[in-house]
Amino acid sequence: LGKSSAARKSLRSAADSEWRNPRYSAKTSELYLLDNDLKNAKNYVKKTLDANPNHIFGLLLEARVSLAREEDVKKAKENIADVLGRPESELNPWLLAYAHLAQSEFMIYDRKYKQALAEAEQSIALNPKLADAYIAKGLALAHRGDTKALASFQKGFELYPYSPRAYHLAALA
């Protein structure tokens, strides 16, 4: 609904009562990432991994936040490889799509745009409702000078129009 501040407040209240449950911290971290508040995103993902160091969504979020902050890139790469190297039984299609999204963002960071595009498309194939995968695809296409980038950005905005980070990245591209 685009009420990210209300969602953060609700998640914070839930986290206060269930502070050991990493899901609350992970979702709060993701909201901060979408808002491009990378400092708070990092703090909440740390809380997630303190509660459960093997939390798959938390590991992927840590990688995405680190890439966005352009720090701890080696660890981000390791987290993504760790998750993608796990048996299929450990990953549902949503987590696998999210892992490919993170890998796409790493490839964009590493300036490997062809591979970034392939990873974003794989993410989209697994979960066509993952807005950030369309944003990653748009970024990869924009870096390659492909005019189809705009359509990909627009699809990402259509799926989730409330992410300031997505608009910022698209504007920079």
Side-chain angles (χ1 to χ4, degrees):
L1 297 175
K3 299 178 181 179
S4 60
S5 63
R8 276 195 311 273
K9 184 178 178 184
S10 294
L11 282 169
R12 237 181 275 126
S13 296
D16 288 342
S17 63
E18 293 288 339
W19 65 275
R20 294 291 301 164
N21 188 335
R23 181 178 299 171
Y24 296 114
S25 299
K27 290 307 285 181
T28 302
S29 176
E30 185 179 39
L31 287 170
Y32 278 120
L33 177 62
L34 292 173
D35 277 349
N36 218 23
D37 183 347
L38 303 179
K39 181 179 179 184
N40 280 315
K42 180 179 179 177
N43 291 338
Y44 275 91
V45 81
K46 181 184 180 315
K47 187 175 179 181
T48 300
L49 295 173
D50 285 347
N52 180 358
N54 198 32
H55 192 268
I56 295 171
F57 181 47
L59 291 170
L60 294 171
L61 265 173
E62 181 181 49
R64 292 188 69 208
V65 170
S66 293
L67 290 168
R69 291 173 58 100
E70 297 183 0
E71 64 184 25
D72 299 325
V73 174
K74 183 179 177 189
K75 186 173 183 190
K77 181 180 179 181
E78 291 168 359
N79 282 357
I80 297 165
D82 170 39
V83 172
L84 286 172
R86 292 178 186 225
E88 286 185 27
S89 60
E90 286 187 37
L91 302 173
N92 61 38
W94 188 89
L95 278 173
L96 192 55
Y98 204 82
H100 284 288
L101 163 63
Q103 182 72 347
S104 178
E105 290 178 344
F106 174 76
M107 292 298 171
I108 291 167
Y109 174 85
D110 208 23
R111 298 172 198 244
K112 295 179 180 173
Y113 304 119
K114 185 177 181 181
Q115 292 153 306
L117 179 59
E119 290 292 336
E121 288 176 341
Q122 185 148 3
S123 179
I124 291 166
L126 289 163
N127 184 354
K129 294 186 179 188
L130 189 56
D132 282 352
Y134 290 95
I135 301 303
K137 180 180 177 180
L139 288 170
L141 288 168
H143 283 293
R144 296 180 69 191
D146 192 325
T147 57
K148 295 176 191 164
L150 182 58
S152 189
F153 287 133
Q154 287 174 332
K155 179 66 176 177
F157 300 149
E158 177 185 310
L159 287 170
Y160 190 76
Y162 312 110
S163 174
R165 181 171 189 261
Y167 290 100
H168 177 75
L169 291 172
L172 287 175

